[in-house]
Coordinates of all heavy atoms in Angstrom, one line a residue:
M885 N 11.1 -12.3 85.2 CA 12.0 -11.5 84.5 C 13.4 -11.9 84.8 O 13.7 -12.2 85.9 CB 11.8 -10.1 84.8 CG 11.0 -9.3 83.8 SD 11.1 -7.6 84.1 CE 9.7 -7.4 85.2
E886 N 14.3 -11.9 83.8 CA 15.7 -12.3 84.0 C 16.4 -11.2 84.7 O 16.2 -10.0 84.5 CB 16.3 -12.4 82.6 CG 17.5 -13.3 82.5 CD 17.9 -13.5 81.1 OE1 17.2 -14.3 80.4 OE2 18.8 -12.9 80.7
N887 N 17.2 -11.6 85.7 CA 18.1 -10.7 86.5 C 17.3 -9.7 87.3 O 17.7 -8.6 87.5 CB 19.1 -9.9 85.6 CG 20.0 -10.9 84.8 OD1 20.4 -11.8 85.4 ND2 20.3 -10.6 83.6
A888 N 16.1 -10.0 87.7 CA 15.3 -9.1 88.6 C 15.9 -9.2 89.9 O 16.7 -10.1 90.2 CB 13.8 -9.6 88.6
P889 N 15.7 -8.4 90.8 CA 14.7 -7.3 90.9 C 15.2 -6.0 90.4 O 16.4 -5.7 90.3 CB 14.3 -7.2 92.3 CG 15.6 -7.5 93.1 CD 16.3 -8.6 92.2
Y890 N 14.3 -5.1 90.1 CA 14.6 -3.7 89.8 C 14.3 -2.9 91.0 O 13.5 -3.2 91.8 CB 13.6 -3.2 88.6 CG 14.0 -3.8 87.3 CD1 13.5 -5.0 86.9 CD2 14.7 -3.1 86.4 CE1 13.8 -5.6 85.7 CE2 15.0 -3.6 85.1 CZ 14.6 -4.8 84.8 OH 14.9 -5.3 83.6
S891 N 15.0 -1.8 91.1 CA 14.7 -0.8 92.2 C 13.8 0.3 91.6 O 14.2 0.9 90.6 CB 16.0 -0.2 92.7 OG 15.8 0.8 93.6
M892 N 12.6 0.5 92.1 CA 11.7 1.4 91.5 C 11.1 2.3 92.6 O 10.9 1.9 93.7 CB 10.5 0.6 90.9 CG 11.0 -0.3 89.8 SD 9.6 -1.1 89.0 CE 9.1 0.2 87.8
T893 N 10.8 3.5 92.2 CA 10.0 4.5 93.0 C 9.0 5.2 92.1 O 9.2 5.2 90.9 CB 11.0 5.6 93.6 OG1 11.6 6.3 92.6 CG2 12.0 4.9 94.5
C894 N 8.0 5.7 92.7 CA 6.9 6.4 92.0 C 6.4 7.5 93.0 O 6.4 7.3 94.2 CB 5.8 5.5 91.5 SG 4.6 6.3 90.5
R895 N 5.9 8.6 92.4 CA 5.4 9.7 93.2 C 3.9 9.6 93.4 O 3.3 10.5 94.0 CB 5.8 11.0 92.6 CG 7.3 11.2 92.5 CD 7.6 12.5 91.9 NE 7.2 12.5 90.5 CZ 7.4 13.4 89.5 NH1 8.0 14.5 89.9 NH2 7.0 13.2 88.3
C896 N 3.2 8.6 92.9 CA 1.8 8.5 93.1 C 1.4 8.1 94.5 O 2.2 7.5 95.2 CB 1.2 7.6 92.0 SG 1.2 5.8 92.5
P897 N 0.2 8.4 94.9 CA -0.3 8.1 96.3 C -0.2 6.6 96.6 O 0.1 6.3 97.8 CB -1.7 8.6 96.3 CG -1.8 9.6 95.2 CD -0.9 9.2 94.2
L898 N -0.4 5.8 95.7 CA -0.4 4.3 96.0 C 1.0 3.8 96.3 O 1.1 2.9 97.1 CB -1.0 3.5 94.8 CG -2.5 3.7 94.6 CD1 -2.9 3.0 93.3 CD2 -3.3 3.2 95.8
A899 N 2.0 4.5 95.8 CA 3.4 4.0 96.0 C 4.0 4.7 97.2 O 5.1 4.4 97.6 CB 4.2 4.3 94.8
K900 N 3.3 5.7 97.8 CA 3.8 6.4 99.0 C 4.2 5.4 100.1 O 3.5 4.4 100.3 CB 2.8 7.4 99.5 CG 3.3 8.7 99.9 CD 2.2 9.6 100.2 CE 2.8 11.0 100.0 NZ 1.9 12.0 100.2
G901 N 5.3 5.6 100.7 CA 5.7 4.8 101.8 C 6.3 3.4 101.3 O 6.4 2.5 102.1
G902 N 6.8 3.4 100.1 CA 7.4 2.2 99.6 C 6.6 1.2 98.9 O 7.0 0.1 98.6
G903 N 5.3 1.5 98.7 CA 4.4 0.5 98.1 C 4.6 0.4 96.6 O 5.4 1.2 96.0
S904 N 3.9 -0.5 96.0 CA 3.9 -0.6 94.5 C 2.7 -0.1 93.9 O 1.7 0.1 94.6 CB 4.1 -2.1 94.1 OG 5.2 -2.6 94.6
C905 N 2.7 0.3 92.6 CA 1.6 0.9 92.0 C 1.5 0.4 90.5 O 2.4 -0.3 90.0 CB 1.6 2.4 92.0 SG 3.0 3.1 91.0
R906 N 0.4 0.8 89.8 CA 0.2 0.4 88.5 C 1.2 1.0 87.5 O 1.5 0.5 86.5 CB -1.2 0.7 88.0 CG -1.5 2.2 88.0 CD -2.9 2.5 87.6 NE -3.2 3.9 87.8 CZ -4.3 4.4 88.2 NH1 -5.3 3.6 88.6 NH2 -4.5 5.7 88.4
H907 N 1.8 2.2 87.9 CA 2.8 2.8 87.1 C 4.1 1.9 87.0 O 4.7 1.7 86.0 CB 3.1 4.2 87.6 CG 1.9 5.1 87.7 ND1 1.4 5.4 89.0 CD2 1.1 5.6 86.8 CE1 0.4 6.2 88.8 NE2 0.2 6.3 87.5
M908 N 4.4 1.4 88.2 CA 5.6 0.5 88.3 C 5.3 -0.8 87.5 O 6.2 -1.2 86.7 CB 5.9 0.1 89.7 CG 6.3 1.3 90.6 SD 6.5 0.7 92.2 CE 7.0 2.3 93.0
A909 N 4.1 -1.3 87.6 CA 3.8 -2.5 86.8 C 3.9 -2.2 85.3 O 4.4 -3.1 84.6 CB 2.4 -3.0 87.2
A910 N 3.4 -1.1 84.9 CA 3.4 -0.7 83.5 C 4.9 -0.7 83.0 O 5.2 -1.1 81.8 CB 2.7 0.6 83.2
V911 N 5.8 -0.1 83.8 CA 7.2 0.0 83.4 C 7.7 -1.4 83.2 O 8.4 -1.8 82.2 CB 8.0 0.8 84.4 CG1 9.5 0.6 84.1 CG2 7.6 2.3 84.3
L912 N 7.5 -2.3 84.2 CA 8.0 -3.7 84.1 C 7.4 -4.4 82.9 O 8.1 -5.2 82.2 CB 7.7 -4.4 85.4 CG 8.4 -3.9 86.6 CD1 7.9 -4.6 87.9 CD2 9.9 -4.1 86.5
Y913 N 6.1 -4.3 82.6 CA 5.5 -4.9 81.4 C 6.2 -4.4 80.2 O 6.4 -5.2 79.2 CB 4.0 -4.7 81.4 CG 3.2 -5.6 82.3 CD1 2.4 -5.1 83.3 CD2 3.3 -7.0 82.1 CE1 1.7 -6.0 84.2 CE2 2.5 -7.8 82.9 CZ 1.8 -7.3 84.0 OH 1.1 -8.2 84.8
A914 N 6.4 -3.1 80.1 CA 7.1 -2.5 78.9 C 8.5 -3.1 78.7 O 8.9 -3.4 77.6 CB 7.1 -1.0 79.0
I915 N 9.2 -3.2 79.8 CA 10.6 -3.8 79.7 C 10.5 -5.2 79.2 O 11.2 -5.6 78.3 CB 11.3 -3.7 81.1 CG1 11.6 -2.3 81.4 CG2 12.5 -4.6 81.1 CD1 12.1 -2.1 82.9
E916 N 9.6 -6.0 79.7 CA 9.4 -7.4 79.3 C 9.0 -7.5 77.9 O 9.5 -8.3 77.1 CB 8.4 -8.1 80.2 CG 8.4 -9.6 80.1 CD 9.7 -10.3 80.4 OE1 10.5 -9.7 81.2 OE2 9.9 -11.4 80.0
A917 N 8.1 -6.7 77.4 CA 7.6 -6.7 76.0 C 8.8 -6.3 75.1 O 8.9 -6.9 74.0 CB 6.5 -5.7 75.9
R918 N 9.6 -5.4 75.5 CA 10.7 -5.0 74.7 C 11.7 -6.1 74.6 O 12.3 -6.4 73.5 CB 11.4 -3.8 75.2 CG 12.6 -3.3 74.3 CD 13.2 -2.0 74.8 NE 12.3 -0.9 74.5 CZ 12.6 0.3 74.6 NH1 13.8 0.6 75.2 NH2 11.8 1.3 74.3
K919 N 12.0 -6.8 75.7 CA 12.9 -8.0 75.7 C 12.3 -9.1 74.7 O 13.1 -9.6 73.9 CB 13.0 -8.6 77.1 CG 13.9 -7.9 78.0 CD 13.9 -8.7 79.3 CE 14.9 -8.2 80.3 NZ 14.8 -9.0 81.5
E920 N 11.0 -9.4 74.8 CA 10.4 -10.4 74.0 C 10.5 -10.0 72.5 O 10.5 -10.9 71.6 CB 9.0 -10.7 74.4 CG 8.9 -11.4 75.8 CD 7.5 -11.6 76.3 OE1 6.6 -11.2 75.6 OE2 7.4 -12.1 77.4
A921 N 10.4 -8.8 72.2 CA 10.5 -8.3 70.8 C 11.9 -8.3 70.3 O 12.1 -7.9 69.1 CB 9.8 -6.9 70.7
G922 N 12.9 -8.6 71.1 CA 14.3 -8.6 70.7 C 15.0 -7.3 70.9 O 16.1 -7.2 70.5
G923 N 14.4 -6.4 71.5 CA 15.0 -5.1 71.8 C 15.8 -5.1 73.1 O 15.7 -6.0 73.9
A924 N 16.6 -4.1 73.2 CA 17.4 -4.0 74.5 C 16.5 -3.6 75.6 O 15.7 -2.7 75.4 CB 18.5 -3.0 74.3
A925 N 16.6 -4.1 76.8 CA 15.8 -3.8 77.9 C 16.3 -2.5 78.6 O 15.7 -1.9 79.4 CB 15.7 -4.9 78.9
G926 N 17.6 -2.2 78.3 CA 18.1 -1.0 79.0 C 18.9 -1.4 80.3 O 19.0 -2.5 80.6
S927 N 19.3 -0.4 81.0 CA 20.1 -0.6 82.2 C 19.2 -1.1 83.3 O 18.0 -0.9 83.4 CB 20.7 0.8 82.6 OG 21.2 0.7 83.9
K928 N 19.8 -1.8 84.2 CA 19.1 -2.3 85.4 C 19.2 -1.2 86.5 O 19.0 -1.5 87.7 CB 19.7 -3.6 85.9 CG 19.6 -4.7 84.9 CD 18.2 -5.2 84.8 CE 18.1 -6.5 84.1 NZ 17.8 -6.4 82.7
A929 N 19.5 0.0 86.2 CA 19.6 1.0 87.2 C 18.2 1.3 87.8 O 17.2 0.9 87.3 CB 20.1 2.3 86.5
A930 N 18.2 2.1 88.8 CA 16.9 2.5 89.4 C 16.0 3.1 88.4 O 16.4 3.9 87.6 CB 17.2 3.4 90.6
V931 N 14.7 2.7 88.5 CA 13.7 3.2 87.6 C 12.8 4.1 88.4 O 12.2 3.8 89.4 CB 12.9 2.1 87.0 CG1 11.7 2.6 86.1 CG2 13.8 1.1 86.2
K932 N 12.5 5.4 87.9 CA 11.6 6.3 88.5 C 10.5 6.6 87.5 O 10.8 7.0 86.4 CB 12.3 7.6 88.9 CG 13.3 7.4 90.0 CD 13.9 8.8 90.4 CE 14.9 8.6 91.5 NZ 15.5 9.9 91.9
C933 N 9.3 6.3 87.9 CA 8.2 6.7 87.1 C 7.5 7.9 87.6 O 7.6 8.2 88.8 CB 7.2 5.5 87.0 SG 6.4 5.0 88.5
G934 N 6.9 8.7 86.7 CA 6.4 10.0 87.1 C 4.9 10.0 87.4 O 4.2 11.0 87.2
G935 N 4.3 8.9 87.8 CA 2.9 8.8 88.1 C 2.5 9.7 89.2 O 3.2 10.1 90.0
G936 N 1.2 10.0 89.1 CA 0.6 10.8 90.2 C 0.7 12.2 89.9 O 1.0 13.2 90.0

């Protein structure tokens, strides 16, 4: 991804303690898909997913 990394957090058990989870991966895939479709990817601000 261009201009990575993103700062991400999630409330699911897998992400507890700073780990990564499928919710974070889904957000990154959605951002990439939107970029490829020609849409704006949005801000590079911290991303919080509501998993768990």
Side-chain angles (χ1 to χ4, degrees):
M885 260 190 271
E886 205 172 286
N887 299 321
Y890 287 82
S891 174
M892 301 182 81
T893 60
C894 184
R895 297 179 295 187
C896 81
L898 291 174
K900 219 171 206 174
S904 298
C905 67
R906 63 181 174 222
H907 306 108
M908 293 177 182
V911 169
L912 293 173
Y913 280 119
I915 290 169
E916 192 64 20
R918 182 176 284 186
K919 280 183 178 180
E920 289 175 4
S927 168
K928 298 287 193 265
V931 176
K932 292 184 181 183
C933 60

